[in-house]
Amino acid sequence: MAKLILFGSIVVTFFNVLYFLIVFDIFQHAWFYIFTDVSAQFMYTLNFLASVFCMVEVAEPGYEAITYSLITTASNTVSPL
């Protein structure tokens, strides 16, 4: 878990530095901007997976897959709002 936190922190810092390069007009390119925008979704995915793995571990034996699918469906349903 510590490796995941360290990796996530490094990736967030990297993408934030790239975003500051765009904001302060040091480097502007369309693909560069799209690349930095994808980082938010990537971090959301890491956060979601870490929380879901914990919830699946406490699910009753034999119901892990349905627990995971219900949590994923509920999360994806709320995201457009």
Side-chain angles (χ1 to χ4, degrees):
M1 190 65 155
K3 289 181 183 179
L4 182 65
I5 293 171
L6 179 64
F7 175 73
S9 299
I10 290 170
V11 171
V12 167
T13 304
F14 174 73
F15 284 121
N16 285 338
V17 168
L18 294 180
Y19 192 70
F20 278 121
L21 292 176
I22 293 170
V23 168
F24 293 113
D25 202 18
I26 297 171
F27 185 76
Q28 286 190 343
H29 192 272
W31 287 105
F32 195 69
Y33 181 74
I34 290 171
F35 182 68
T36 57
D37 194 38
V38 168
S39 69
Q41 186 63 30
F42 178 71
M43 290 299 119
Y44 170 76
T45 303
L46 286 180
N47 186 18
F48 177 74
L49 286 177
S51 64
V52 167
F53 287 155
C54 297
M55 290 180 207
V56 170
E57 286 296 322
V58 298
E60 298 208 13
Y63 294 106
E64 294 92 354
I66 200 162
T67 303
Y68 180 77
S69 64
L70 284 171
I71 294 168
T72 304
T73 301
S75 175
N76 290 339
T77 303
V78 177
S79 65
L81 299 176

